[in-house]
């Protein structure tokens, strides 16, 4: 293996180890380390699912790992339902219910996957739309 190839492999291995270590950080340790929390803001149109909204960073898991999503409505008293992306034991992705209301928190199966989390939301309070802030 040449010097350039060895350097590329070493760099990739280092980046993967740093990313894997960051994924397990708690919110408190993330804040202390100056690491931005993963998340975003999703639109919740009335009566139908809004667009998929990716988290601001990815997550790495391990067999049996469950990813946590927390969410809250940021524009008033609108009631929404939220779903989060997860992976079944075969590694196939799919939507999992995170709850309905004005805020919530739920775990979804993630497993041994390296991917970006995402949510989608819809307002169930017609004709009002909502905006949902999420972490996860």
């Amino acid at each position: 293996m040449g010097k350039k190839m060895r350097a590329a492999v070493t760099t990739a291995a280092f980046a993967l180890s740093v990313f894997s270590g960051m994924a397990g950080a708690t919110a408190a340790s993330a804040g202390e380390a100056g690491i931005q929390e993963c998340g975003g803001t999703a639109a919740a149109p009335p009566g139908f699912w809004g667009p998929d909204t990716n988290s601001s960073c990815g997550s790495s898991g391990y067999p049996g790992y469950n990813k946590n999503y927390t969410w809250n409505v940021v524009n008033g008293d609108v009631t929404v339902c939220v779903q989060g992306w997860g992976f079944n034991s075969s590694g196939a992705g799919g939507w999992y219910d995170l709850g309905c209301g004005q805020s919530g928190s739920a775990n979804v199966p993630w497993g041994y996957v390296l991917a970006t989390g995402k949510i989608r939301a819809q307002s169930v309070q017609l004709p009002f739309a909502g905006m949902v802030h999420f972490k996860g």
Side-chain angles (χ1 to χ4, degrees):
M1 186 178 332
K3 285 184 180 182
K4 287 184 180 180
M5 180 61 87
R6 229 178 286 136
V9 169
T10 301
T11 301
F14 175 75
L16 183 58
S17 69
V18 168
F19 183 82
S20 295
M22 285 173 45
T26 64
S29 65
E32 293 166 6
I35 299 169
Q36 182 180 6
E37 288 184 339
C38 298
T41 303
F48 62 94
W49 292 111
D52 301 356
T53 303
N54 288 334
S55 180
S56 58
C57 50
S59 297
S60 63
Y62 50 83
Y65 175 70
N66 289 305
K67 179 177 179 58
N68 180 260
Y69 289 98
T70 59
W71 59 271
N72 64 288
V73 174
V74 294
N75 63 324
D77 295 330
V78 178
T79 300
V80 301
C81 290
V82 181
Q83 292 183 331
W85 192 253
F87 297 89
N88 67 20
S89 58
S90 300
W95 293 108
Y96 293 86
D97 290 331
L98 302 181
C100 296
Q102 293 181 341
S103 65
S105 179
N107 292 324
V108 300
W110 196 262
Y112 191 54
V113 174
L114 174 61
T116 301
K118 60 185 174 181
I119 71 161
R120 64 183 184 181
Q122 69 173 308
S123 169
V124 294
Q125 191 172 337
L126 303 176
F128 302 105
M131 293 299 291
V132 177
H133 177 74
F134 74 99
K135 296 178 186 175

PDB file of all heavy atoms in Angstrom, residues 10-25 33 35 57-60 114:
ATOM      1  N   THR A  10      -5.902   5.903   7.102  1.00  0.00           N
ATOM      2  CA  THR A  10      -5.711   6.390   8.470  1.00  0.00           C
ATOM      3  C   THR A  10      -6.663   7.543   8.768  1.00  0.00           C
ATOM      4  O   THR A  10      -7.285   7.590   9.826  1.00  0.00           O
ATOM      5  CB  THR A  10      -4.252   6.835   8.685  1.00  0.00           C
ATOM      6  OG1 THR A  10      -3.405   5.725   8.424  1.00  0.00           O
ATOM      7  CG2 THR A  10      -4.023   7.333  10.097  1.00  0.00           C
ATOM      8  N   THR A  11      -6.797   8.471   7.832  1.00  0.00           N
ATOM      9  CA  THR A  11      -7.692   9.612   8.017  1.00  0.00           C
ATOM     10  C   THR A  11      -9.143   9.148   8.144  1.00  0.00           C
ATOM     11  O   THR A  11      -9.883   9.610   9.008  1.00  0.00           O
ATOM     12  CB  THR A  11      -7.558  10.601   6.839  1.00  0.00           C
ATOM     13  OG1 THR A  11      -6.204  11.039   6.771  1.00  0.00           O
ATOM     14  CG2 THR A  11      -8.472  11.798   7.019  1.00  0.00           C
ATOM     15  N   ALA A  12      -9.562   8.223   7.287  1.00  0.00           N
ATOM     16  CA  ALA A  12     -10.933   7.712   7.339  1.00  0.00           C
ATOM     17  C   ALA A  12     -11.194   6.995   8.659  1.00  0.00           C
ATOM     18  O   ALA A  12     -12.251   7.164   9.269  1.00  0.00           O
ATOM     19  CB  ALA A  12     -11.197   6.770   6.167  1.00  0.00           C
ATOM     20  N   ALA A  13     -10.247   6.195   9.125  1.00  0.00           N
ATOM     21  CA  ALA A  13     -10.415   5.476  10.390  1.00  0.00           C
ATOM     22  C   ALA A  13     -10.507   6.458  11.557  1.00  0.00           C
ATOM     23  O   ALA A  13     -11.322   6.286  12.461  1.00  0.00           O
ATOM     24  CB  ALA A  13      -9.255   4.508  10.610  1.00  0.00           C
ATOM     25  N   PHE A  14      -9.698   7.513  11.537  1.00  0.00           N
ATOM     26  CA  PHE A  14      -9.735   8.517  12.590  1.00  0.00           C
ATOM     27  C   PHE A  14     -11.088   9.233  12.593  1.00  0.00           C
ATOM     28  O   PHE A  14     -11.713   9.404  13.644  1.00  0.00           O
ATOM     29  CB  PHE A  14      -8.608   9.534  12.415  1.00  0.00           C
ATOM     30  CG  PHE A  14      -8.670  10.665  13.395  1.00  0.00           C
ATOM     31  CD1 PHE A  14      -8.307  10.488  14.711  1.00  0.00           C
ATOM     32  CD2 PHE A  14      -9.135  11.911  13.003  1.00  0.00           C
ATOM     33  CE1 PHE A  14      -8.384  11.522  15.621  1.00  0.00           C
ATOM     34  CE2 PHE A  14      -9.207  12.955  13.902  1.00  0.00           C
ATOM     35  CZ  PHE A  14      -8.839  12.764  15.210  1.00  0.00           C
ATOM     36  N   ALA A  15     -11.567   9.651  11.411  1.00  0.00           N
ATOM     37  CA  ALA A  15     -12.849  10.351  11.320  1.00  0.00           C
ATOM     38  C   ALA A  15     -13.982   9.473  11.822  1.00  0.00           C
ATOM     39  O   ALA A  15     -14.866   9.928  12.549  1.00  0.00           O
ATOM     40  CB  ALA A  15     -13.111  10.789   9.879  1.00  0.00           C
ATOM     41  N   LEU A  16     -13.966   8.190  11.462  1.00  0.00           N
ATOM     42  CA  LEU A  16     -15.007   7.279  11.914  1.00  0.00           C
ATOM     43  C   LEU A  16     -14.981   7.110  13.430  1.00  0.00           C
ATOM     44  O   LEU A  16     -16.017   7.114  14.087  1.00  0.00           O
ATOM     45  CB  LEU A  16     -14.873   5.921  11.227  1.00  0.00           C
ATOM     46  CG  LEU A  16     -15.945   4.892  11.559  1.00  0.00           C
ATOM     47  CD1 LEU A  16     -17.324   5.445  11.215  1.00  0.00           C
ATOM     48  CD2 LEU A  16     -15.705   3.608  10.816  1.00  0.00           C
ATOM     49  N   SER A  17     -13.797   7.025  14.013  1.00  0.00           N
ATOM     50  CA  SER A  17     -13.715   6.856  15.462  1.00  0.00           C
ATOM     51  C   SER A  17     -14.200   8.108  16.191  1.00  0.00           C
ATOM     52  O   SER A  17     -14.871   8.026  17.209  1.00  0.00           O
ATOM     53  CB  SER A  17     -12.287   6.496  15.900  1.00  0.00           C
ATOM     54  OG  SER A  17     -11.418   7.591  15.715  1.00  0.00           O
ATOM     55  N   VAL A  18     -13.895   9.292  15.651  1.00  0.00           N
ATOM     56  CA  VAL A  18     -14.363  10.530  16.262  1.00  0.00           C
ATOM     57  C   VAL A  18     -15.879  10.615  16.159  1.00  0.00           C
ATOM     58  O   VAL A  18     -16.577  10.912  17.117  1.00  0.00           O
ATOM     59  CB  VAL A  18     -13.703  11.762  15.591  1.00  0.00           C
ATOM     60  CG1 VAL A  18     -14.390  13.046  16.020  1.00  0.00           C
ATOM     61  CG2 VAL A  18     -12.230  11.809  15.937  1.00  0.00           C
ATOM     62  N   PHE A  19     -16.433  10.334  14.963  1.00  0.00           N
ATOM     63  CA  PHE A  19     -17.885  10.384  14.759  1.00  0.00           C
ATOM     64  C   PHE A  19     -18.591   9.412  15.679  1.00  0.00           C
ATOM     65  O   PHE A  19     -19.587   9.739  16.304  1.00  0.00           O
ATOM     66  CB  PHE A  19     -18.219  10.081  13.293  1.00  0.00           C
ATOM     67  CG  PHE A  19     -19.689  10.177  13.007  1.00  0.00           C
ATOM     68  CD1 PHE A  19     -20.285  11.399  12.764  1.00  0.00           C
ATOM     69  CD2 PHE A  19     -20.469   9.043  13.018  1.00  0.00           C
ATOM     70  CE1 PHE A  19     -21.639  11.483  12.509  1.00  0.00           C
ATOM     71  CE2 PHE A  19     -21.824   9.121  12.775  1.00  0.00           C
ATOM     72  CZ  PHE A  19     -22.404  10.333  12.518  1.00  0.00           C
ATOM     73  N   SER A  20     -18.080   8.182  15.787  1.00  0.00           N
ATOM     74  CA  SER A  20     -18.718   7.172  16.636  1.00  0.00           C
ATOM     75  C   SER A  20     -18.717   7.611  18.087  1.00  0.00           C
ATOM     76  O   SER A  20     -19.685   7.408  18.797  1.00  0.00           O
ATOM     77  CB  SER A  20     -17.988   5.830  16.504  1.00  0.00           C
ATOM     78  OG  SER A  20     -18.120   5.339  15.193  1.00  0.00           O
ATOM     79  N   GLY A  21     -17.655   8.226  18.527  1.00  0.00           N
ATOM     80  CA  GLY A  21     -17.584   8.696  19.903  1.00  0.00           C
ATOM     81  C   GLY A  21     -18.548   9.830  20.171  1.00  0.00           C
ATOM     82  O   GLY A  21     -19.144   9.925  21.231  1.00  0.00           O
ATOM     83  N   MET A  22     -18.737  10.711  19.185  1.00  0.00           N
ATOM     84  CA  MET A  22     -19.642  11.844  19.352  1.00  0.00           C
ATOM     85  C   MET A  22     -21.088  11.398  19.424  1.00  0.00           C
ATOM     86  O   MET A  22     -21.897  11.997  20.110  1.00  0.00           O
ATOM     87  CB  MET A  22     -19.483  12.823  18.186  1.00  0.00           C
ATOM     88  CG  MET A  22     -18.224  13.641  18.255  1.00  0.00           C
ATOM     89  SD  MET A  22     -17.935  14.637  16.781  1.00  0.00           S
ATOM     90  CE  MET A  22     -19.503  15.342  16.459  1.00  0.00           C
ATOM     91  N   ALA A  23     -21.438  10.351  18.703  1.00  0.00           N
ATOM     92  CA  ALA A  23     -22.834   9.920  18.649  1.00  0.00           C
ATOM     93  C   ALA A  23     -23.347   9.499  20.012  1.00  0.00           C
ATOM     94  O   ALA A  23     -24.526   9.624  20.299  1.00  0.00           O
ATOM     95  CB  ALA A  23     -23.001   8.770  17.655  1.00  0.00           C
ATOM     96  N   GLY A  24     -22.472   9.024  20.889  1.00  0.00           N
ATOM     97  CA  GLY A  24     -22.894   8.579  22.202  1.00  0.00           C
ATOM     98  C   GLY A  24     -22.874   9.669  23.254  1.00  0.00           C
ATOM     99  O   GLY A  24     -23.194   9.435  24.402  1.00  0.00           O
ATOM    100  N   ALA A  25     -22.498  10.886  22.895  1.00  0.00           N
ATOM    101  CA  ALA A  25     -22.392  11.960  23.871  1.00  0.00           C
ATOM    102  C   ALA A  25     -23.765  12.358  24.387  1.00  0.00           C
ATOM    103  O   ALA A  25     -24.734  12.390  23.652  1.00  0.00           O
ATOM    104  CB  ALA A  25     -21.710  13.179  23.232  1.00  0.00           C
ATOM    105  N   ALA A  33     -18.649  20.297  25.667  1.00  0.00           N
ATOM    106  CA  ALA A  33     -17.584  20.172  24.682  1.00  0.00           C
ATOM    107  C   ALA A  33     -17.762  21.156  23.532  1.00  0.00           C
ATOM    108  O   ALA A  33     -16.936  21.213  22.642  1.00  0.00           O
ATOM    109  CB  ALA A  33     -17.553  18.741  24.135  1.00  0.00           C
ATOM    110  N   ILE A  35     -20.154  20.990  21.316  1.00  0.00           N
ATOM    111  CA  ILE A  35     -20.681  20.263  20.175  1.00  0.00           C
ATOM    112  C   ILE A  35     -22.151  20.629  20.008  1.00  0.00           C
ATOM    113  O   ILE A  35     -22.913  20.617  20.968  1.00  0.00           O
ATOM    114  CB  ILE A  35     -20.544  18.741  20.376  1.00  0.00           C
ATOM    115  CG1 ILE A  35     -19.068  18.374  20.521  1.00  0.00           C
ATOM    116  CG2 ILE A  35     -21.185  17.978  19.229  1.00  0.00           C
ATOM    117  CD1 ILE A  35     -18.850  16.949  20.987  1.00  0.00           C
ATOM    118  N   CYS A  57     -27.183  16.299  11.934  1.00  0.00           N
ATOM    119  CA  CYS A  57     -26.024  15.408  11.947  1.00  0.00           C
ATOM    120  C   CYS A  57     -26.477  13.950  11.993  1.00  0.00           C
ATOM    121  O   CYS A  57     -27.651  13.669  12.217  1.00  0.00           O
ATOM    122  CB  CYS A  57     -25.078  15.725  13.102  1.00  0.00           C
ATOM    123  SG  CYS A  57     -25.834  15.864  14.713  1.00  0.00           S
ATOM    124  N   GLY A  58     -25.556  13.050  11.760  1.00  0.00           N
ATOM    125  CA  GLY A  58     -25.862  11.632  11.694  1.00  0.00           C
ATOM    126  C   GLY A  58     -25.703  10.926  13.030  1.00  0.00           C
ATOM    127  O   GLY A  58     -25.226  11.499  14.008  1.00  0.00           O
ATOM    128  N   SER A  59     -26.112   9.670  13.054  1.00  0.00           N
ATOM    129  CA  SER A  59     -26.008   8.832  14.255  1.00  0.00           C
ATOM    130  C   SER A  59     -25.431   7.477  13.874  1.00  0.00           C
ATOM    131  O   SER A  59     -25.780   6.921  12.841  1.00  0.00           O
ATOM    132  CB  SER A  59     -27.385   8.594  14.879  1.00  0.00           C
ATOM    133  OG  SER A  59     -27.963   9.792  15.315  1.00  0.00           O
ATOM    134  N   SER A  60     -24.570   6.980  14.728  1.00  0.00           N
ATOM    135  CA  SER A  60     -24.081   5.610  14.555  1.00  0.00           C
ATOM    136  C   SER A  60     -24.614   4.780  15.703  1.00  0.00           C
ATOM    137  O   SER A  60     -24.702   5.249  16.833  1.00  0.00           O
ATOM    138  CB  SER A  60     -22.549   5.575  14.514  1.00  0.00           C
ATOM    139  OG  SER A  60     -22.014   6.011  15.735  1.00  0.00           O
ATOM    140  N   LEU A 114     -25.341   3.487  10.443  1.00  0.00           N
ATOM    141  CA  LEU A 114     -24.777   4.828  10.390  1.00  0.00           C
ATOM    142  C   LEU A 114     -25.639   5.606   9.410  1.00  0.00           C
ATOM    143  O   LEU A 114     -25.643   5.314   8.209  1.00  0.00           O
ATOM    144  CB  LEU A 114     -23.318   4.780   9.909  1.00  0.00           C
ATOM    145  CG  LEU A 114     -22.622   6.116   9.665  1.00  0.00           C
ATOM    146  CD1 LEU A 114     -22.565   6.939  10.945  1.00  0.00           C
ATOM    147  CD2 LEU A 114     -21.223   5.882   9.118  1.00  0.00           C
TER     148      LEU A 114
END
